[in-house]
Amino acid sequence: MQLCDDTGEKVPTGWTVTGASFEVEWPKDPQVASGIRSHFGARRFAYNWALAKVKSDMDAKRTDVSYPSTPWTLEALRKRWNQEKNEVAPWWGDNSKEAYASGIADLVRALSNWSSSKHGRRKGRKVGFPKFKSKRKDRNRVRFTTGTMGFEDDHRTIVLPMIGALRSMENTRRIQRHLAKNNARLLKRTLSQRWGRLFVSCQLAIKTSVVTPPSATMSKKDPRAGVDLGLRSLATIADSNGGITAIPNPAPLRATMNERRRVGRNLIRRIPGSHGHRQAKAKLVKLDRKAVYVRRESIHQLTCYLVDNYSEVKIEDLNIAAMGRSMGRRALRRSVSDAGLGAFKPTLTYKAERAGVKVVVVDRFFPSSQIHHNCTGRLTGAKLAKRLICDTCHVEVDRDENASLNIRDWSVISCGPVGSSALPVPRPFGTGGSCDDGMTHHRKRERKTASNTGGAQRGKNDPRASENEARRKNLEKGASSE
Ligand SMILES: [Zn+2]
């Protein structure tokens, strides 16, 4: 497989791009610490400088079509930076040239995202034109692609160009052993600040060891599993014998919610800039950080469990973004992002590839929670109810367990004979596929009229009207995938 890293460089076959992140201590030496901040600022400065050039070029082009504007490429903008840097930033020598290059590269990326989104070449949410970065809002970071890329032999020290040695909080051996054996090549390193802490993330290409999955008879793994991701429990796994394993949701935010509420109340009572305000803010940040770590860990444990125990894993193709928007109630939306479901698929995919496990993504419009697995009858119940009742055999089933079984047998259900009472299996939009059921059609029509009147009331020129329309469409998609 040919992989590309961000710079567009081809990674040869047999190599995989992967990353490792280490938290590093803020240097005790105030000079080194201010050097780090200076690098963050330099990246932002170059980004804003390049954006100002691009904007003034566009304005000049509007009045004079023959105006020679700088192309939106890293090379061209960097060349222009090198011509002008003595004038606009006489202090440029204080920071590594990589700091400026990474700012310009980020702008080039943002411009290309905007342009492909505008011309319909990019999926997903519309990307706006890049904005100037403010010190308050921009996340502090700087990327190094060349220069000293060293780790020291104590397995604790990471050396960055111009900045120097930083002490890692974690042993760096796990990537150094690859580098020592010449099995890996460092592509780039990013120094960034989050929650007031410093992190160095390394992107590296590693020689992939060829994994030959053991033959079905030799393998001790269960041949197949269906995974239903959810909010009640993080995942419900149906194995080939019909056994159900429910992985509980750690819901880290919910656990810390009371604590956050208390600290949040404390924070607004403090005077901004005071010692107490800083203290309360630090507490809040600590709770958030904890939540992120617990969430990440639970996704890692789940994906490792799946890859270790099954040779084929079927998962749903959830539209997490739409789910987060559509669930309606704030608490539900919060639990969608709380569960960190978005990280599940990418994490599972790369782990499965390494272990030779097959991942099957079930069609987004497969109504896994509406078909009774035993009799293919239709299930009814409240929108998010845990127990559902079958229309045909009147058996009460657990929504998540039933859905995981349906996902496990996905291809069987969609190809095999379907009972008259069963739902038609929907196909993706655009192929003339049927929708979930009559109810949905009815709801859709209702919503459409509602949105039309809403748009008329607000006036045709209101950009919110079309935005809401688009959101509503997404919402329906989300609801039908649920
Ligand atoms: Zn039934």
Side-chain angles (χ1 to χ4, degrees):
M1 194 176 22
Q2 286 264 306
L3 282 161
C4 268
D5 72 347
D6 281 0
T7 51
E9 202 182 336
K10 283 270 186 295
V11 176
T13 317
W15 291 69
T16 324
V17 178
T18 149
S21 181
F22 301 97
E23 184 175 345
V24 293
E25 287 169 13
W26 267 102
K28 300 242 162 42
D29 184 353
Q31 264 204 323
V32 183
S34 82
I36 290 174
R37 281 190 213 98
S38 164
H39 273 78
F40 292 153
R43 178 198 158 271
R44 194 158 47 231
F45 183 88
Y47 181 98
N48 286 337
W49 170 87
L51 181 55
K53 292 292 153 191
V54 164
K55 281 190 162 186
S56 69
D57 274 3
M58 283 168 90
D59 288 342
K61 196 114 191 161
R62 224 164 271 149
T63 47
D64 174 16
V65 187
S66 62
Y67 181 82
S69 49
T70 316
W72 294 352
T73 63
L74 178 60
E75 296 75 40
L77 282 164
R78 249 185 113 169
K79 198 175 161 199
R80 191 160 171 193
W81 165 256
N82 284 327
Q83 285 161 358
E84 295 184 18
K85 65 184 174 187
N86 282 325
E87 211 174 300
V88 293
W91 39 262
W92 62 266
D94 294 351
N95 306 302
S96 162
K97 64 179 170 44
E98 292 283 307
Y100 311 107
S102 68
I104 295 172
D106 287 348
L107 177 73
V108 169
R109 166 69 78 87
L111 287 168
S112 106
N113 286 347
W114 166 74
S115 134
S116 43
S117 171
K118 194 181 162 198
H119 295 108
R121 292 192 302 268
R122 186 189 157 93
K123 280 196 267 180
R125 206 183 243 188
K126 245 190 151 51
V127 178
F129 193 79
K131 287 180 189 151
F132 289 108
K133 303 273 183 204
S134 84
K135 192 180 177 182
R136 280 162 55 104
K137 282 189 187 163
D138 183 40
R139 193 170 153 207
N140 283 336
R141 62 198 186 276
V142 61
R143 201 167 52 235
F144 301 94
T145 49
T146 55
T148 8
M149 307 265 262
F151 292 91
E152 278 175 16
D153 290 339
D154 62 354
H155 291 162
R156 283 282 168 177
T157 314
I158 303 176
V159 186
L160 293 174
M162 294 291 281
I163 290 168
L166 293 170
R167 188 173 161 75
S168 167
M169 305 249 216
E170 217 184 307
N171 198 313
T172 57
R173 190 181 159 268
R174 63 183 158 129
I175 69 174
Q176 273 181 280
R177 67 196 170 99
H178 289 300
L179 292 170
K181 277 194 245 160
N182 239 345
N183 279 344
R185 197 162 62 86
L186 265 178
L187 300 173
K188 61 187 170 200
R189 288 184 297 175
T190 307
L191 177 67
S192 62
Q193 190 184 344
R194 194 174 183 192
W195 308 301
R197 300 187 173 199
L198 277 183
F199 296 86
V200 175
S201 29
C202 310
Q203 195 190 60
L204 60 166
I206 288 189
K207 240 182 223 169
T208 350
S209 49
V210 183
V211 183
T212 37
S215 60
T217 46
M218 289 290 290
S219 173
K220 283 189 186 124
K221 287 182 182 177
D222 193 312
R224 70 209 162 106
V227 184
D228 175 63
L229 293 177
L231 304 174
R232 242 170 258 110
S233 51
L234 182 64
T236 311
I237 306 164
D239 62 25
S240 57
N241 303 321
I244 304 281
T245 319
I247 309 282
N249 197 338
L253 271 188
R254 203 173 303 157
T256 53
M257 198 51 78
N258 288 337
E259 182 68 6
R260 284 186 99 256
R261 211 168 281 150
R262 195 181 62 77
V263 178
R265 264 201 313 269
N266 202 352
L267 180 71
I268 51 165
R269 287 194 196 119
R270 307 283 167 191
I271 302 156
S274 69
H275 178 67
H277 187 266
R278 266 201 304 281
Q279 229 173 11
K281 206 165 178 185
K283 262 186 205 162
L284 205 61
V285 163
K286 193 177 172 186
L287 288 171
D288 286 345
R289 187 176 64 231
K290 197 175 162 190
V292 168
Y293 282 149
V294 176
R295 199 183 285 161
R296 200 181 287 167
E297 184 59 22
S298 66
I299 292 291
H300 274 301
Q301 285 183 357
L302 170 64
T303 48
C304 274
Y305 173 80
L306 288 170
V307 165
D308 287 346
N309 290 295
Y310 302 96
S311 38
E312 184 186 303
V313 180
K314 282 188 193 160
I315 58 170
E316 280 174 295
D317 187 10
L318 287 180
N319 186 356
I320 308 290
M323 254 172 92
R325 281 195 300 271
S326 72
M327 302 299 263
R329 278 162 48 210
R330 198 165 73 110
L332 270 170
R333 285 206 305 275
R334 190 154 51 201
S335 50
V336 169
S337 69
D338 190 17
L341 297 181
F344 173 73
K345 199 169 129 191
T347 316
L348 179 68
T349 315
Y350 86 78
K351 281 184 185 171
E353 200 178 316
R354 279 187 200 168
V357 171
K358 193 176 163 197
V359 175
V360 179
V361 180
V362 171
D363 190 293
R364 177 167 289 184
F365 300 97
F366 173 57
S368 60
S369 55
Q370 294 171 30
I371 301 173
H372 185 201
H373 179 259
N374 281 359
C375 73
T376 67
R378 225 191 103 193
L379 293 172
T380 44
K383 198 182 167 200
L384 291 164
K386 182 159 172 59
R387 312 293 300 182
L388 298 170
I389 297 167
C390 177
D391 271 359
T392 316
C393 61
H394 307 288
V395 172
E396 199 189 55
V397 292
D398 182 283
R399 174 195 283 265
D400 297 340
E401 287 179 11
N402 180 70
S404 64
L405 287 165
N406 277 337
I407 291 166
R408 186 198 69 185
D409 296 340
W410 174 57
S411 56
V412 180
I413 288 181
S414 43
C415 301
V418 180
S420 57
S421 60
L423 297 170
V425 176
R427 263 154 266 136
F429 284 167
T431 54
S434 48
C435 279
D436 297 359
D437 55 343
M439 268 304 288
T440 317
H441 271 301
H442 186 63
R443 272 208 308 271
K444 264 182 193 163
R445 218 173 298 131
E446 265 181 13
R447 273 190 194 146
K448 215 169 180 182
T449 34
S451 73
N452 281 349
T453 49
Q457 276 162 5
R458 248 185 255 114
K460 274 180 186 161
N461 293 334
D462 192 343
R464 270 182 307 175
S466 61
E467 200 185 305
N468 282 344
E469 184 66 49
R471 195 174 299 151
R472 229 172 244 122
K473 273 181 197 151
N474 270 333
L475 200 141
E476 277 163 11
K477 270 187 219 163
S480 58
S481 75
E482 210 276 315

